[in-house]
Amino acid sequence: MNRILLALLALPFTALAAESVSHAPAASGGIAGQLAQLVIGLLLVIGLIFLLAWMARRVQRLGPNNGKVIKIVATQALSPRDRLVLVQVGNEQVLLGLTPGRINSLHVMSEPVHLPDGEPASTEFSQRLMELLGKDQKDKS
């Protein structure tokens, strides 16, 4: 797959190289033609990049992870760079702390947090989380 993509990316450059070898550069009046060829080649390369990016996104959606075993239940921003994320993996929910350089597992929920569909999980999630963490801290002492 990578070789095919590399060959497709190199195609415009090989065509331009072959064309420049076969034609001797014109001494007079050829600047406008060369500029037009350069612009057309550049537009083709940029178009090819966008096409390949679109195809890569389509292939990722059709991949084996379409069953979505891992789901993000809710997120809560703590600061511009730090956040809490509640992730469901199978039947288990895990609270993760995300910082720019690290991901820490903070807590594994003993009973899953259920959020109604279509409702934002911002304030209810934080309240429910504090209740669950408070219950677990009392149970441990």
Side-chain angles (χ1 to χ4, degrees):
M1 179 76 177
N2 289 338
R3 290 181 183 155
I4 294 171
L5 293 176
L6 187 58
L8 285 174
L9 285 174
L11 187 62
F13 298 113
T14 57
L16 287 175
E19 186 175 312
S20 67
V21 169
S22 66
H23 299 291
S28 63
I31 298 269
Q34 289 178 356
L35 185 61
Q37 284 182 341
L38 180 68
V39 169
I40 290 171
L42 182 63
L43 290 175
L44 284 174
V45 169
I46 290 173
L48 184 64
I49 290 171
F50 280 113
L51 176 69
L52 290 174
W54 177 78
M55 286 175 51
R57 281 191 305 240
R58 296 282 292 177
V59 168
Q60 285 177 353
R61 287 185 200 153
L62 300 175
N65 291 335
N66 203 15
K68 293 189 179 180
V69 176
I70 299 173
K71 293 186 212 174
I72 296 176
V73 177
T75 62
Q76 178 70 42
L78 300 175
S79 71
R81 298 179 67 173
D82 300 333
R83 62 181 49 245
L84 290 174
V85 178
L86 184 61
V87 178
Q88 176 127 9
V89 181
N91 295 329
E92 192 172 79
Q93 288 185 346
V94 180
L95 181 66
L96 301 174
L98 285 109
T99 60
R102 254 179 118 146
I103 300 174
N104 294 324
S105 175
L106 301 176
H107 187 72
V108 177
M109 299 294 177
S110 56
E111 63 180 68
V113 176
H114 297 287
L115 298 172
D117 291 335
E119 280 190 29
S122 59
T123 57
E124 293 178 26
F125 167 67
S126 61
Q127 291 172 355
R128 179 76 174 136
L129 176 65
M130 295 312 278
E131 288 173 8
L132 287 173
L133 289 177
K135 286 181 185 176
D136 288 340
Q137 294 299 329
K138 291 176 187 173
D139 292 340
K140 289 181 183 176
S141 359

